[in-house]
């Protein structure tokens, strides 16, 4: 049994595992000897990843097809892991939107809210109760550099990440006496499929593997980690500014990432 399995348990749930940070998290956990429940919509990609991880690292990999924007998908993720000895939840599922909020598609914004906040809330609530009762466990939530201030042209996305950041900070204190580690990971730009989905041009950023490795290394040691050198540089530049000036700086950053959009 690996040190990670001894500390947290033999199984980890990873949402958003079909691509990007979620896939990198699952890969990193498998390399550390933890069996993984892979949760996402694109089941073919999950099946391929499951085979790869099992063959490369000798762990078990269970595939759960679930659309976390729908209650049925959340229920499937919860019921499909109920009988496993799960000790870790890595909530990587999520996506972003960009551009002027008033011109956005409301249905898409509501879907983002459902995935980034509602699904996360239900999965964290269930996992936190399980981990508290067994007196050990770990919860990793994906915040973002944009979650520490308002961000024009990504106003609602930043608001969902502010929710995640605040939840992680509060839960860390609540669960610490129960032996449960809670970590917020707040990367800056990441070179993954996120930019295309969010309609942002991201040309400089961290690799998902870097985010996964630095995040998991911080679990149990920090409350918030900023993986990747760029996120550390940006946070260093922003941290000394009053909040209103951080909003202005992030407005300029986001304007550059969305300059290809009309208007």
């Amino acid at each position: 049994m690996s040190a990670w399995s001894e500390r947290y348990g033999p199984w980890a749930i990873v949402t958003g595992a079909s691509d990007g940070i979620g896939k990198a998290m699952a890969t990193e956990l498998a390399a550390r000897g933890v069996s993984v429940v892979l949760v996402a919509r694109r089941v073919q990609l999950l099946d391929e990843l499951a085979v790869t991880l099992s063959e490369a690292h000798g762990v078990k990999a269970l595939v759960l097809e679930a659309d976390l924007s729908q209650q049925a998908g959340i229920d499937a993720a919860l019921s499909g892991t109920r009988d496993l000895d799960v000790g870790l939840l890595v909530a990587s599922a999520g996506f972003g939107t960009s551009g002027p909020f008033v011109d956005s598609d409301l249905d898409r914004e509501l879907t983002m809210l459902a995935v980034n906040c509602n699904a996360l809330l239900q999965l964290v609530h269930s996992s936190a109760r399980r981990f508290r009762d067994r007196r050990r466990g770990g919860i990793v939530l994906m915040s973002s550099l944009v979650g520490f201030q308002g961000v024009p042209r990504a106003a609602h996305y930043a608001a969902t990440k502010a929710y995640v950041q605040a939840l992680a900070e509060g839960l860390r204190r609540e669960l610490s006496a129960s032996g449960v580690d809670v970590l917020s990971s707040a990367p800056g730009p990441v070179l993954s499929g996120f930019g295309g989905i969010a309609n942002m041009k991201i040309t400089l950023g961290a690799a998902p593997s870097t985010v996964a490795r630095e995040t998991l290394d911080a679990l149990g040691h920090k409350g918030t980690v900023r993986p990747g050198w760029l996120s550390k540089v940006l946070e260093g530049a922003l941290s000394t500014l009053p909040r209103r000036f951080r909003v202005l700086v992030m407005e300029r950053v986001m304007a550059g990432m969305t300059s290809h959009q009309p208007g």
Side-chain angles (χ1 to χ4, degrees):
M1 181 177 290
S2 73
W4 271 68
S5 294
E6 290 179 356
R7 181 174 180 180
Y8 294 110
W11 284 92
I13 301 171
V14 183
T15 67
S18 60
D19 195 11
I21 293 174
K23 181 179 180 180
M25 288 286 192
T27 301
E28 185 68 26
L29 284 167
R32 299 181 187 213
V34 180
S35 294
V36 286
V37 182
L38 308 173
V39 181
R41 292 177 301 153
R42 293 178 289 179
V43 68
Q44 182 177 347
L45 294 178
L46 295 182
D47 286 338
E48 293 170 359
L49 179 61
V51 171
T52 298
L53 297 183
S54 295
E55 292 180 349
H57 304 293
V59 299
K60 297 177 181 178
L62 173 66
V63 169
L64 280 181
E65 181 181 7
D67 181 353
L68 295 180
S69 70
Q70 304 296 318
Q71 188 60 47
I74 299 170
D75 292 342
L78 292 172
S79 63
T81 57
R82 188 167 292 137
D83 296 329
L84 295 176
D85 186 8
V86 174
L88 279 169
L89 169 67
V90 181
S92 301
F95 69 93
T97 58
S98 66
F101 175 74
V102 294
D103 296 330
S104 65
D105 179 88
L106 182 57
D107 286 340
R108 184 163 177 77
E109 299 295 332
L110 288 170
T111 299
M112 180 176 67
L113 183 65
V115 175
N116 292 10
C117 298
N118 178 56
L120 178 139
L121 170 64
Q122 294 189 54
L123 291 169
V124 169
H125 188 263
S126 174
S127 296
R129 284 188 166 185
R130 293 175 68 177
F131 300 164
R132 178 200 60 189
D133 292 345
R134 68 204 287 273
R135 307 297 294 179
R136 65 171 179 162
I139 297 172
V140 177
L141 305 184
M142 295 307 302
S143 176
S144 169
L145 186 68
V146 304
F148 297 90
Q149 66 284 302
V151 181
R153 298 188 69 84
H156 186 214
Y157 172 63
T160 68
K161 291 304 177 179
Y163 171 88
V164 174
Q165 180 65 33
L167 180 63
E169 290 175 0
L171 282 180
R172 182 169 186 256
R173 292 292 303 159
E174 287 188 11
L175 296 174
S176 61
S178 300
V180 181
D181 297 327
V182 181
L183 175 69
S184 168
S185 178
V190 178
L191 298 174
S192 66
F194 172 87
I197 294 172
N199 197 16
M200 300 177 191
K201 284 189 175 180
I202 300 175
T203 57
L204 184 65
S209 58
T210 298
V211 174
R213 184 182 66 257
E214 293 188 11
T215 296
L216 294 177
D217 284 347
L219 182 62
H221 305 288
K222 295 182 178 181
T224 297
V225 63
R226 294 172 174 84
W229 68 267
L230 182 57
S231 65
K232 296 177 179 64
V233 169
L234 291 172
E235 178 58 25
L238 291 168
S239 61
T240 59
L241 298 176
R243 189 178 180 100
R244 66 182 184 278
F245 290 122
R246 297 206 306 267
V247 172
L248 295 177
V249 171
M250 291 304 296
E251 180 177 22
R252 300 194 69 170
V253 171
M254 194 56 59
M257 289 185 177
T258 59
S259 59
H260 61 287
Q261 297 180 11

